[in-house]
């Protein structure tokens, strides 16, 4: 099984839902040097994260290199109630991507 | 994004090359909101970032923005930051770290039905100000918080 690329939890509150996600990604800045070879490690980082509620994009995050490794993010969506589908996807600078779907619990 | 596109194409009743082109061209998420702003992420200095991101519009200090971040971060590679904006009609929240080579860490475009709240973890090179810039109803608001970093977050 492929390594899990992201983990999402959506919990419904009164009138809104809290979405918490961890995206598993090295987030290399392109500024670091490898300790063994002394060569610069090429940049590899997530650029875009999109959060969808019922297939409509509600939040779009643009990320730079200064977001920590395995980025964590938490956002709140109004009007999302228990059972609503939430989808989170990311795209990095090398064109890799991943997405996952959860329902608000 | 491709998976989404697949889902869309599978779910849609439309067939034929024209429909595919329309579906791919107009309904991908990238075109819903602006593309990745490279200039803003590579700009140097807080002022440069602000002008790349917002075209030089002035931001006013606001007490309605709360930044939650540690006073002293032991590890600059992982600094938890959360921003709460009480303004109505929040359109975007950007988080900057003033002494990073390129200050902009991430920028959240919030749709209409979202709360003015984001929480994330950022890298901070050295002791600096964490700046939150909130765009609400077309106006810019900002707030700052000092974060002291004992071990830097950039470089090995």
């Amino acid at each position: 099984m492929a390594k899990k690329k992201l983990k999402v939890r959506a919990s419904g509150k009164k009138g809104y839902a809290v979405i918490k996600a961890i995206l598993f990604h090295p987030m290399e800045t392109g500024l670091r040097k490898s300790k063994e070879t002394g060569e610069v490690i090429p940049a590899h980082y997530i650029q875009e994260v999109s959060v969808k509620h019922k297939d409509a994009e509600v939040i779009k995050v643009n990320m730079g290199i200064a977001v920590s490794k395995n980025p964590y993010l938490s956002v709140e969506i109004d009007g999302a109630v228990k059972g609503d589908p939430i989808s989170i996807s990311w795209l990095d600078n090398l064109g890799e991507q991943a997405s996952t779907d959860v329902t608000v619990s | 994004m491709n998976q989404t596109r697949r889902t869309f194409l599978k779910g849609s009743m439309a067939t034929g090359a024209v429909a595919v082109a329309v579906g791919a061209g107009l309904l991908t998420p990238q075109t819903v909101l602006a593309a990745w702003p490279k200039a803003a992420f590579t700009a140097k200095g807080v002022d440069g970032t602000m002008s790349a991101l917002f075209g030089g519009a002035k931001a006013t200090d606001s007490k309605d923005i709360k930044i939650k971040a540690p006073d002293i971060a032991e590890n600059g590679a992982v600094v938890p930051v959360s921003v709460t904006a009480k303004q109505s009609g929040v359109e975007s929240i950007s988080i900057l770290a003033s002494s990073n080579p390129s200050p902009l860490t991430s920028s959240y475009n919030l749709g209409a039905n979202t709360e003015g709240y984001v929480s994330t973890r950022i890298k901070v090179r050295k002791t600096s100000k964490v700046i939150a810039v909130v765009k609400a109803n077309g106006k810019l608001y900002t707030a700052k918080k000092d974060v002291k970093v004992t071990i830097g977050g950039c470089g090995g």
Side-chain angles (χ1 to χ4, degrees):
Chain A
M1 200 180 102
K3 206 174 145 193
K4 209 168 182 189
K5 295 277 182 68
L6 68 174
K7 205 152 104 179
V8 181
R9 175 167 289 177
S11 42
K13 310 275 178 201
K14 225 176 186 174
Y16 66 97
V18 179
I19 317 295
K20 292 178 177 171
I22 294 181
L23 324 173
F24 295 99
H25 201 276
M27 296 301 280
E28 278 299 339
T29 60
L31 306 169
R32 261 162 31 107
K33 282 180 183 164
S34 161
K35 273 179 184 139
E36 287 93 49
T37 61
E39 281 170 20
V40 172
I41 303 169
H44 186 202
Y45 56 97
I46 294 176
Q47 287 187 318
E48 290 173 1
V49 180
S50 145
V51 181
K52 286 187 191 149
H53 170 223
K54 290 181 179 168
D55 285 336
E57 189 173 58
V58 286
I59 295 169
K60 172 82 167 282
V61 189
N62 291 314
M63 284 189 175
I65 57 175
V67 174
S68 300
K69 184 178 172 181
N70 298 336
Y72 160 82
L73 63 99
S74 169
V75 290
E76 294 173 355
I77 300 178
D78 268 349
V81 292
K82 200 172 170 179
D84 280 3
I86 301 285
S87 162
I88 295 197
S89 59
W90 58 256
L91 171 73
D92 71 17
N93 67 327
L94 303 181
E96 287 175 33
Q97 55 195 11
S99 71
T100 198
D101 301 301
V102 292
T103 49
V104 177
S105 59
Chain B
M1 303 292 172
N2 264 329
Q3 284 182 344
T4 320
R5 192 181 299 168
R6 292 288 166 266
T7 317
F8 167 73
L9 289 174
K10 238 182 254 169
S12 74
M13 299 297 283
T15 47
V18 176
V20 171
V22 170
L26 295 178
L27 290 165
T28 48
Q30 280 95 335
T31 50
V32 175
L33 293 164
W36 195 70
K38 187 164 188 283
F41 280 102
T42 50
K44 308 283 177 215
V46 174
D47 292 343
T49 307
M50 289 296 288
S51 62
L53 201 56
F54 300 111
K58 285 272 174 286
T60 47
D61 287 340
S62 167
K63 288 200 174 77
D64 291 333
I65 304 168
K66 291 250 176 331
I67 303 176
K68 205 173 132 197
D71 293 327
I72 297 173
E74 285 186 8
N75 183 356
V78 184
V79 181
V81 176
S82 47
V83 177
T84 312
K86 295 238 172 69
Q87 282 89 349
S88 62
V90 174
E91 292 160 34
S92 78
I93 297 179
S94 305
I95 303 170
L96 284 69
S98 66
S99 60
N100 277 8
S102 308
L104 184 60
T105 65
S106 51
S107 172
Y108 290 73
N109 296 306
L110 304 177
N113 47 354
T114 51
E115 299 276 323
Y117 165 83
V118 295
S119 173
T120 187
R121 297 196 285 230
I122 63 168
K123 295 174 196 165
V124 180
R125 181 167 66 165
K126 58 184 183 190
T127 298
S128 78
K129 284 185 169 61
V130 170
I131 304 170
V133 183
V134 173
K135 190 177 181 194
N137 297 322
K139 286 189 182 141
L140 295 178
Y141 302 94
T142 182
K144 296 181 182 71
K145 184 175 191 314
D146 288 310
V147 173
K148 198 173 172 186
V149 174
T150 46
I151 304 169
C154 299

